[in-house]
Amino acid sequence: MPIAHVVSGGAQGSGPVSSVTTAGLNTTGASLLVVTYARDSLFAAAATPISDSNSNTWTAATAEQGNAMATGFCRQFYAKNPTVGAGHTFTFTLTGAGFPSIGVSAFSSADTTAPLDQTATGTDSTSPFASPATGTLSQADEAVVGAYTDSSVAEGIAVAGAYTAGFVADGSATQEAIGHEWKIVSSTAAVTSEFTGANVDSADQVSTYKGAAAAAAQPYQPWMQRGPVLAQ
C-alpha cells in the first residue's frame, strides 16, 4: 500500500505560556508521526521539546530554523513505528513562558525503519514563501511535510501548490504563527514547502518520508503454471 495520510491537527498556545498541547487525535493505523513546532524569540525550545500522550520516541528531522530577524523559529520532528490510537495528544515545550505553536500529521504505510529521506531549510521574505529545494527523492512514494513561521500578525497564511493544510494559523499579539502542510508524491522530483500570505520575514522547512517498500514479487517458477488436473 502507498503511504497515506491518516489525520492532522495542531494548536497555538495563547501566551505567554511554557507549553502547548493539541486536542486528542485518532492516530489509529499510523506508522509515522511528523510534528512542526513554531516559537517566538523569548525562550528557546526545551531540551526535549516534543512529547506525546503515548510516550513515543521523537527524532529531529531538521535543525531549528529562524527567520532573518531571528524573531520566529520552526523545526520538525518525527516518530517512526509509533504507539498510536484514539485520544492521542502532542505537546511542545519551551524553557520559559513564550508563544509556542504545534502542528502534527500521521501517516500509514510508512517505512518503519528509516523513514526520513530529504530535508531543506531556509528563509524567505516574499509570497509565495518556500524552503530551498530538497535533493532528488529516493523513491516515488513519499509523504512531504512543509513548515513555516514568521514574526508578524494577521498575515493571511495559506498553503499553496498541491499541499493540504495540516494546521495553519496566523500570528497575533499572544500567538506565534505556524504553517504545517502535507502532500503525498508519486515521483522522485525535488520538493519545497509552499505557503502564501502577506510579505513577511519567514522561516521555512520541508522534510520527506518514505513509504514502506513494496513486497518483492515472487519470481516465476515452472510449477506456478499447471494444466488441469485429470480425473483418474
Side-chain angles (χ1 to χ4, degrees), residues 46-62:
T48 304
I50 304 301
S51 58
D52 69 289
S53 58
N54 289 339
S55 300
N56 287 298
T57 298
W58 293 89
T59 302
T62 58

Side-chain angles (χ1 to χ4, degrees), residues 94-188:
L94 300 171
T95 57
F99 302 91
S101 297
I102 186 172
V104 58
S105 291
F107 300 93
S108 62
S109 299
D111 184 328
T112 57
T113 302
L116 181 65
D117 184 16
Q118 300 290 321
T119 65
T121 183
T123 63
D124 206 344
S125 60
T126 304
S127 181
F129 307 101
S131 68
T134 64
T136 300
L137 307 191
S138 65
Q139 62 183 52
D141 175 32
E142 300 205 9
V144 182
V145 181
Y148 167 100
T149 195
D150 60 54
S151 58
S152 299
V153 299
E155 54 276 78
I157 306 166
V159 300
Y163 281 98
T164 297
F167 183 72
V168 177
D170 284 356
S172 72
T174 60
Q175 295 176 314
E176 180 71 12
I178 184 170
H180 175 86
E181 62 185 3
W182 66 271
K183 66 180 178 179
I184 305 297
V185 295
S186 56
S187 79
T188 60

Side-chain angles (χ1 to χ4, degrees), residues 17-20 37-50 64-66 70-75 77 92-101:
V17 292
S18 61
S19 67
V20 60
Y37 79 58
R39 68 172 182 88
D40 66 308
S41 59
L42 284 177
F43 287 95
T48 304
I50 304 301
E64 188 176 76
Q65 176 66 56
T71 52
F73 301 83
C74 64
R75 193 177 188 185
F77 284 76
F92 169 42
T93 303
L94 300 171
T95 57
F99 302 91
S101 297

